[in-house]
Amino acid sequence: QVQLVESGGGLVQAGGSLRLSCAASGTIFSINDMGWYRQAPGNERELVAVITSGDRTNYKDSVKGRFTISRDLAKNTVYLQMNSLKPEDTAVYYCNVNLRTHYYRGSSDYWGQGTQVTVSS
């Protein structure tokens, strides 16, 4: 079993900052890509940022220069530092981790429970 536990969401004024964390626990053999998605009411879930197994990063255009994704594989944790937040960043943020639980199994995607980020104007 694998669990992803998110933390760090909340209410912040426009221009403020938040840092999201997502820790994976359970039976983990190796971790591939780790990412953050978000879903606002009435919208589809969208990719915000991803960090690959080779530590390459990719961002949604609207967050480039404001958000930074990083990870600590010793802690099986991925972070999202969000600066200069805007009201349009308001959404539920989900972490996603692609990992293998055993050497003999292929990789699968796992999701966090979601954390609310609300940016007031």
Side-chain angles (χ1 to χ4, degrees):
Q1 292 284 1
V2 174
Q3 288 187 326
L4 302 185
V5 178
E6 301 177 20
S7 60
L11 172 64
V12 64
Q13 288 188 333
S17 299
L18 285 173
R19 188 190 194 210
L20 305 183
S21 299
C22 172
S25 63
T27 304
I28 299 172
F29 173 73
S30 64
I31 292 178
N32 299 318
D33 297 356
M34 306 177 85
W36 289 93
Y37 290 70
R38 69 187 182 188
Q39 187 168 19
N43 292 353
E44 294 186 352
R45 190 173 297 188
E46 60 181 9
L47 176 65
V48 176
V50 63
I51 183 166
T52 71
S53 57
D55 283 335
R56 292 189 305 273
T57 58
N58 194 29
Y59 297 91
K60 178 179 174 61
D61 284 346
S62 62
V63 308
K64 286 180 180 177
R66 300 188 297 123
F67 291 10
T68 302
I69 189 170
S70 62
R71 65 181 183 175
D72 184 343
L73 289 177
K75 297 180 180 180
N76 292 338
T77 299
V78 61
Y79 306 96
L80 186 67
Q81 177 66 44
M82 304 184 293
N83 299 328
S84 302
L85 282 160
K86 303 176 180 180
E88 51 264 43
D89 295 318
T90 296
V92 178
Y93 284 70
Y94 299 90
C95 66
N96 171 270
V97 178
N98 184 269
L99 60 83
R100 297 170 66 185
T101 57
H102 300 81
Y103 72 94
Y104 52 83
R105 289 183 177 171
S107 62
S108 298
D109 283 327
Y110 294 85
W111 291 90
Q113 80 281 6
T115 185
Q116 177 70 45
V117 171
T118 303
V119 184
S120 62
S121 57

